[in-house]
Amino acid sequence: MEDEKSTILVTGGCGFIGSNFVRYLLQNRPGWKVINLDALTYAGNPANLAGLEDDPGYTFVHGDICDAGLLAEIFASHSINGVVHLAAESHVDRSIHGPMDFVRTNVEGTCRLLAAALKSWRRRGEPESFRFLHVSTDEVFGSLGPQGFFIESTAYDPSSPYSASKAAADHFVRAWHRTYGLPAIITNCSNNYGPYQFPEKLIPLMILNAAEGKQLPVYGDGSNVRDWLYVDDHCRALLLVLEKGRPGRTYAVGGGAEQTNLEVVRLICRLVDERLGRRPDQASQGLIRFVEDRPGHDLRYAIDSSRIRSELGWRPRHDFLSALGKTVDWYLDNPDWVESVRSGAYRNWIAANYGRRLAGEEEASGREP
Ligand code: NAD
Ligand code: TYD
C-alpha cells in the first residue's frame, strides 16, 4: 500500500464492522481518504458514523455494490488504491428465510466489485501496491466437532445460505487473483462483538433483552461454541492485512475466546444485572428460554490464528470478559441509537438527507453521487 496518500474504498461502511473500521482507519491513518459505499439496508445506519460528515477525509456514497455503473463512476472519479469489502447480507437466520438477497449481494455484488476494481487497476498500469481485501467469515469452513481449529487451508464446507454465499464470494476473489492477477487478499474471521452491532445478533440481542426484562431465546441447548473477536481487534487485523498482507494469501483471524452460547448469555445476564443494580431475586438468568434449534446449526467455530500472528505480528488485545463488559456499557449508554435502529427512524433520516427511495424498496436505484 502507498502510505500517506492512500484512498480506500470501504463497502458496507455503515454496518457494524464497517463503521468501526472506517473510524479506526481515519483515526489511525491521518491523511488517508475513505470512500464509504453503502446501500443503507436495514443493517446500515448512517448514525453509526455520526460526526464524520464534515471530515475532509471521508466521503459517503449511497449505493449498491451490484450497480456496475455506479462502481465504474466511483473508480473513475477517485484514485482508489485499496478496497476493503465488507458489504454483505450478514445474518444466518435471515439467510434461512430469504436466501436470494444473500446470493445477490454477497455473490453477485462481490463479482461486480471485483470486475470494477480489476478494470481500474489495469487502467492505472497494474500498480503492485493496490489491494482488494475481501472480509469473509470462518463459517465458510462449516462446523468443527469438540476438538480442532480452522486454519487457512481447512476445506470449505458451508452449512447455511449465508455461509454458502460467503464461500462462493471467496472462490470468486481467489479466481480474480489467480486468473487476472488482481492483488486480492481474503480474511476469514470469527464472530465479532462490540458497539454498533445490529441487535439481531446474539450478543446485542441478549444485552437489550436482559436489560428490558424480555425473554432470552437460546437455540437448542446452548452448547454451540463461537470464538468471539472484539471488533476493535478485528479492525486492527484488517488494517495490518491491508498494509502488510501478501496478495493471494488468506488470513484466519480469531479472538481466541471460545464460549458456549449459554455461557455468553449467562455472562451477559450477570453484567447487565450488576450495572442495573438488580437484586438476586431479579436475576435475568430466569429469562433464559431454550427454543427450537436453528436448522443446520453449526456446533463449533474456533480459529487457529498462527499465520497472522507469526507473519504480521497480530494478536487480540482484548480479553473476552472485559470487552463484553464494555459492550454491555455501550448498549446501556446509547438508548437513542438502540431506539433508532429498532424503530427504523434512521430510514427517515436517510430519506431526508439523500432524498431518494430507501434501499430495498421497489425501484430503488441505490445511486448517489
Ligand atoms: P452488517 O450487516 O452489520 O453490515 C452490512 C453493511 O453492508 C450494511 O451497512 C449494509 O447497508 C451494507 N450492504 C448490504 N448490502 C449492500 C449492497 N448490496 N450494497 C452496498 N452495501 C450493502 O455486517 P457486519 O456484521 O458489519 O459484517 C461485515 C462483513 O464482515 C460482512 O461481509 C460479513 O460477512 C463479515 N463478517 C462478519 C462477522 C460478524 O461477526 N459480524 C464475522 C465474520 C465475517
Ligand atoms: P449469531 O449472532 O446469529 O451469529 P452466527 O450465527 O453467525 O454465529 O449467533 C451466534 C450464536 O448464537 C449461534 O450459535 C446462534 C445462537 N443464537 C441463539 O442461541 N439465540 C439467538 O437469539 C441468536 C440470534 C443466536
Side-chain angles (χ1 to χ4, degrees):
M1 291 289 308
E2 294 163 37
D3 203 2
E4 299 298 318
K5 295 188 204 77
S6 281
T7 300
I8 309 297
L9 173 62
V10 175
T11 68
C14 292
F16 162 47
I17 301 173
S19 59
N20 279 282
F21 182 69
V22 166
R23 247 183 279 104
Y24 185 87
L25 196 59
L26 290 170
Q27 272 163 18
N28 287 279
R29 292 295 177 272
W32 284 30
K33 289 196 164 58
V34 173
I35 297 137
N36 170 17
L37 170 62
D38 197 299
L40 300 177
T41 68
Y42 79 95
N45 183 353
N48 293 356
L49 288 170
L52 287 187
E53 301 85 356
D54 301 324
D55 187 321
Y58 176 70
T59 305
F60 176 59
V61 181
H62 180 204
D64 193 322
I65 55 166
C66 296
D67 184 341
L70 174 62
L71 292 175
E73 223 174 280
I74 293 172
F75 278 100
S77 46
H78 302 274
S79 299
I80 291 167
N81 35 29
V83 176
V84 180
H85 176 35
L86 292 135
E89 288 294 337
S90 68
H91 191 207
V92 172
D93 293 323
R94 281 179 190 256
S95 82
I96 293 169
H97 297 288
M100 298 319 286
D101 287 347
F102 288 71
V103 176
R104 182 180 177 277
T105 287
N106 300 0
V107 186
E108 182 192 339
T110 298
C111 291
R112 298 237 177 254
L113 190 62
L114 284 163
L118 177 67
K119 200 165 170 193
S120 158
W121 179 66
R122 284 181 167 165
R123 205 177 40 234
R124 297 175 63 211
E126 306 192 353
E128 243 176 73
S129 59
F130 183 88
R131 290 290 178 274
F132 185 106
L133 170 52
H134 173 63
V135 180
S136 189
T137 167
D138 60 355
E139 301 189 26
V140 298
F141 303 123
S143 186
L144 289 166
Q147 307 294 324
F149 296 92
F150 296 135
I151 56 170
E152 288 78 2
S153 57
T154 302
Y156 277 42
D157 187 21
S159 302
S160 70
Y162 163 67
S163 52
S165 69
K166 294 295 289 188
D170 292 10
H171 290 319
F172 278 109
V173 173
R174 269 190 203 99
W176 249 261
H177 172 70
R178 293 182 192 163
T179 307
Y180 309 116
L182 187 72
I185 305 180
I186 297 173
T187 53
N188 296 93
C189 69
S190 57
N191 288 60
N192 283 223
Y193 66 105
Y196 299 105
Q197 186 167 31
F198 195 82
E200 63 186 354
K201 306 278 166 56
L202 180 75
I203 287 185
L205 181 74
M206 296 297 158
I207 294 172
L208 295 177
N209 281 11
E212 293 162 5
K214 294 184 182 158
Q215 295 189 352
L216 307 172
V218 172
Y219 301 164
D221 62 4
S223 62
N224 303 68
V225 172
R226 299 293 182 262
D227 172 3
W228 293 97
L229 173 64
Y230 191 55
V231 67
D232 202 55
D233 281 325
H234 185 204
C235 290
R236 199 159 32 81
L238 292 179
L239 183 52
L240 204 54
V241 170
L242 183 68
E243 292 186 308
K244 305 223 163 81
R246 222 169 73 202
R249 208 138 174 81
T250 292
Y251 298 90
V253 188
E258 283 186 60
Q259 305 278 336
T260 68
N261 293 338
L262 190 54
E263 283 164 348
V264 172
V265 175
R266 285 189 172 141
L267 269 175
I268 289 172
C269 288
R270 205 187 83 204
L271 292 166
V272 168
D273 291 350
E274 273 169 21
R275 277 144 177 87
L276 298 183
R278 286 184 176 147
R279 297 188 313 264
D281 62 315
Q282 300 169 316
S284 324
Q285 285 207 28
L287 299 167
I288 293 175
R289 297 288 179 276
F290 295 97
V291 299
E292 192 180 336
D293 208 355
R294 171 189 280 173
H297 197 176
D298 288 332
L299 175 69
R300 175 171 166 259
Y301 304 142
I303 287 184
D304 174 347
S305 308
S306 297
R307 175 179 287 175
I308 189 170
R309 284 174 184 251
S310 64
E311 292 186 11
L312 304 182
W314 177 87
R315 61 172 183 80
R317 287 188 185 149
H318 294 84
D319 75 272
F320 183 64
L321 186 57
S322 60
L324 186 63
K326 280 207 284 195
T327 306
V328 168
D329 289 336
W330 189 86
Y331 280 89
L332 298 182
D333 290 346
N334 286 280
D336 292 347
W337 182 89
V338 171
E339 171 55 22
S340 79
V341 299
R342 278 180 167 167
S343 67
Y346 65 93
R347 295 171 72 82
N348 297 330
W349 184 96
I350 296 165
N353 284 273
Y354 295 100
R356 61 176 51 259
R357 275 188 211 122
L358 297 175
E361 288 180 7
E362 210 183 357
E363 291 175 27
S365 79
R367 187 186 279 225
E368 185 75 27

